[in-house]
Amino acid sequence: MSSGPAASVIELANVRFRWQPQAPVVLAIDIFRLAAGERLFIRGPSGSGKTTLLGLIGGVLVPETGQVRLHGTDLATCSASARDRLRADRIGFVFQMFNLIPYLSVLDNVMLPCRFSKHRASRAAGGGSALDEAQRLLLRLGLGQEDILARDVAALSVGQQQRVAVARALIGQPDIVIADEPTSALDADTRNEFLALLGEECARSGAALLFVSHDTELARSFDRSLDMRELNQALAATGAA
């Protein structure tokens, strides 16, 4: 007997967003779903609404109309502090510019989500400690050497910083990992290795992966792909598509 489709971790319905009350709508999505454990690739050129979509999913932005549901909770009806808590507990981010804290060590950067979320800290500890899990992730990502663990992240290469950002996103088994153009600075071989590691770690923890990029060659590594020029109806309305 089929177990049926996986439950949605993110669902958008009839969402409209504009930056100012009299400005044009920049994002118009009738329906969007991300299933638990799914690996979804979203592509689109600059200006197509990718960053706005991620801001809505993360609860940083609130739609003018419509619903953005995270595990069934409509973020638009939550207070700013409640959205912050849900984001800290449920979502791991890998930013294009990494957003690491330059004066913290590699280990401290990776463990940062556990300082802001008791939920993530508890899940990271499992049968051991959050520190053990941080070291495991860094070792898995090729950064397990003791001299690297204590090093300031500003002293790392771009590729090493990216892996620290991934370990930080994965610690504490978030329900969703959002990766925003994380491979733009990598060569082809390093990029493919990185994608494989990211996919394997998300599968290990059961996290859904939402990966945003303009590089269409990456789509084959994912369960499903969407084009913002088709998803975002505001583009057609303005002729931008």
Side-chain angles (χ1 to χ4, degrees):
M1 178 181 295
S2 173
S3 59
S8 296
V9 289
I10 284 287
E11 183 172 355
L12 277 65
N14 302 314
V15 164
R16 300 294 182 269
F17 178 87
R18 68 181 91 216
W19 291 104
Q20 299 292 336
Q22 304 305 318
V25 172
V26 296
L27 194 73
I29 297 176
D30 284 343
I31 191 71
F32 168 85
R33 292 188 181 94
L34 178 66
E38 182 180 18
R39 296 192 299 177
L40 174 63
F41 178 83
I42 294 183
R43 61 185 179 273
S46 296
S48 61
K50 300 189 302 293
T51 300
T52 304
L53 174 61
L54 298 187
L56 289 167
I57 290 173
V60 178
L61 302 175
V62 177
E64 178 180 283
T65 60
Q67 297 177 330
V68 179
R69 295 187 175 275
L70 172 57
H71 272 301
T73 299
D74 186 359
L75 297 180
T77 66
C78 295
S79 66
S81 61
R83 294 197 305 273
D84 290 345
R85 173 56 54 204
L86 283 167
R87 180 170 59 251
D89 287 347
R90 302 292 180 180
I91 303 177
F93 287 92
V94 184
F95 299 97
Q96 183 176 7
M97 301 306 294
F98 312 143
N99 289 9
L100 300 174
I101 309 301
Y103 53 82
L104 294 181
S105 70
V106 168
L107 265 178
D108 286 338
N109 265 279
V110 172
M111 294 179 65
L112 201 58
C114 298
R115 293 176 58 184
F116 292 105
S117 169
K118 292 181 180 178
H119 177 78
R120 296 267 296 269
S122 175
R123 295 182 72 170
S129 69
L131 176 60
D132 291 338
E133 176 62 2
Q135 292 175 321
R136 185 198 70 80
L137 284 167
L138 287 166
L139 181 62
R140 180 73 180 88
L141 292 164
L143 295 175
Q145 303 94 321
E146 286 189 17
D147 63 317
I148 290 181
L149 297 180
R151 193 179 303 175
D152 288 348
V153 292
L156 302 181
S157 69
V158 171
Q160 288 173 325
Q161 288 182 30
Q162 181 189 55
R163 289 169 182 243
V164 174
V166 170
R168 182 182 62 183
L170 288 167
I171 197 167
Q173 300 178 21
D175 301 305
I176 308 161
V177 171
I178 294 177
D180 185 8
E181 297 277 9
T183 60
S184 57
L186 302 182
D187 59 56
D189 289 342
T190 305
R191 179 196 67 189
N192 293 337
E193 180 184 357
F194 167 78
L195 284 174
L197 286 171
L198 181 59
E200 288 168 10
E201 284 299 321
C202 285
R204 180 183 181 275
S205 67
L209 173 60
L210 177 56
F211 192 102
V212 174
S213 178
H214 66 278
D215 188 350
T216 57
E217 291 184 10
L218 305 181
R220 62 178 179 268
S221 300
F222 294 81
D223 301 324
R224 181 166 62 103
S225 66
L226 291 174
D227 193 315
M228 285 299 300
R229 291 168 292 190
E230 299 173 358
L231 181 64
N232 183 8
Q233 298 174 29
L235 296 177
T238 60

